[in-house]
Amino acid sequence: MSVSLPGSLVSTEWLAAHLDDPDLVILDGSFKLPGVTPVAAEDFAARHIPGARFFDIDAIADHETTLPHMLPSAAAFERHATELGISNDSIVIVYDTPGLMSAGRVWWTLRTFGHDKIAILDGGLRKWLAEGRPVTAETATPASGRFRATFDPAAVRSKAYVLANLESRAEQVIDARSAGRFTAEEKEARPGLRSGHIPGSLNLPFNALTNPETGELLKVADIRKAFEMAGLDFTKPVITSCGSGVTAAALAFGLHLAGKVDVAIYDGAWAEWGQPGDTPVDTGPGGR
């Protein structure tokens, strides 16, 4: 291999220096909520980092469920990864437009299917553009990759597991949604969902991990402090959640940078839990 990752987070300077490396696969994992236009794929078509391929979070998903962008099967993910030109020995860099909103979901998905040669671009497209670095509307046509998926069930939690965890409290739950959505002061964007949060869960909005001016990640010590201020105990395992499993992965990435390995994501997230039914819902401050 002619390139190796310096860590799970790479700078714009590092990526600019390695743009032409043949071992590198660059993924634009940008995502927008339903109804927001232009959609992320249209933004990508208009401009993206040269050589990048679009990782469509809604398309690379389980289409047998009505829940949004749930993890696909290992076989389906192998097909998608191969089409994106990803092989098991590829070095993957993923970015999104704001800096850390949906890139974490792509990072987590690849790791859940056994690929750990992946890093997130610090500051994302936002910082790249602010520095005047090149973008293009030209779409890359990569050669097919050779990817074999190895699914890690420890990375994912189901609704049944989270329900059982309400009694056992074996794992902490922390929610990446805004404080207003968490406390039910704001309504959910997805129609038909109740407002509130999983009983006993903590709240840390995903954008609390980044510099609001540049989109860059905070220093590791400050990331850890943010989680601790939210009430997280670093000695206990963690489940991250959010609206639909996207920004939960931003929290998972932040925890990863802080050295925490016993972290899983509730993939169904509030899109599943908040549906009318028998799942209990709390409002107001969390952590009770």
Side-chain angles (χ1 to χ4, degrees):
M1 302 292 288
S2 60
V3 63
S4 60
L5 290 173
S8 297
L9 192 67
V10 298
S11 67
T12 50
E13 291 81 6
W14 185 94
L15 180 58
H18 292 88
L19 263 186
D20 297 325
D21 195 293
D23 296 323
L24 205 65
V25 174
I26 305 171
L27 300 177
D28 184 328
S30 298
F31 170 82
K32 291 182 178 180
L33 289 171
V36 178
T37 56
V39 298
E42 292 170 334
D43 288 339
F44 175 83
R47 64 180 183 184
H48 52 266
I49 294 175
R53 304 105 193 242
F54 185 62
F55 187 105
D56 191 331
I57 287 173
D58 281 324
I60 303 175
D62 179 3
H63 298 290
E64 299 300 316
T65 175
T66 58
L67 293 172
H69 41 254
M70 295 283 282
L71 278 175
S73 67
F77 187 76
E78 285 182 356
R79 292 194 299 272
H80 288 296
T82 296
E83 290 169 0
L84 286 167
I86 302 172
S87 298
N88 290 100
D89 60 354
S90 296
I91 302 294
V92 180
I93 306 298
V94 59
Y95 71 88
D96 62 33
T97 300
L100 184 66
M101 186 267 191
S102 53
R105 174 74 188 195
V106 182
W107 169 86
W108 173 75
T109 299
L110 277 155
R111 285 173 60 88
T112 298
F113 286 112
H115 193 80
D116 60 2
K117 301 180 186 71
I118 180 169
I120 288 178
L121 178 65
D122 198 10
L125 185 62
R126 175 182 177 181
K127 187 170 186 286
W128 185 269
L129 291 171
E131 294 170 344
R133 299 190 187 275
V135 291
T136 183
E138 183 177 345
T139 302
T141 306
S144 294
R146 294 172 62 87
F147 190 86
R148 177 62 60 89
T150 305
F151 177 67
D152 178 13
V156 190
R157 295 291 181 264
S158 66
K159 183 175 79 171
Y161 188 101
V162 178
L163 273 168
N165 189 67
L166 292 178
E167 295 297 326
S168 70
R169 297 296 175 105
E171 301 186 7
Q172 304 164 97
V173 179
I174 189 162
D175 192 318
R177 291 176 299 156
S178 68
R181 291 170 66 190
F182 182 83
T183 60
E185 293 174 7
E186 299 173 7
K187 290 186 176 181
E188 285 297 308
R190 297 180 186 277
L193 296 181
R194 295 172 289 167
S195 297
H197 59 263
I198 297 168
S201 57
L202 306 169
N203 180 222
L204 181 63
F206 74 94
N207 55 7
L209 301 183
T210 54
N211 182 316
E213 295 182 358
T214 66
E216 293 172 282
L217 269 290
L218 302 180
K219 294 180 179 179
V220 171
D222 292 329
I223 289 173
R224 184 182 180 99
K225 183 178 179 180
F227 278 105
E228 290 174 339
M229 291 293 290
L232 194 81
D233 182 346
F234 269 78
T235 69
K236 297 179 180 178
V238 180
I239 301 169
T240 65
S241 186
C242 61
S244 61
V246 174
T247 58
L251 294 190
F253 183 71
L255 288 165
H256 168 79
L257 291 181
K260 190 150 182 64
V261 296
D262 49 351
V263 179
I265 289 178
Y266 171 27
D267 198 20
W270 199 254
E272 180 176 45
W273 193 276
Q275 291 181 10
D278 58 0
T279 47
V281 170
D282 274 357
T283 58
R288 297 193 298 274

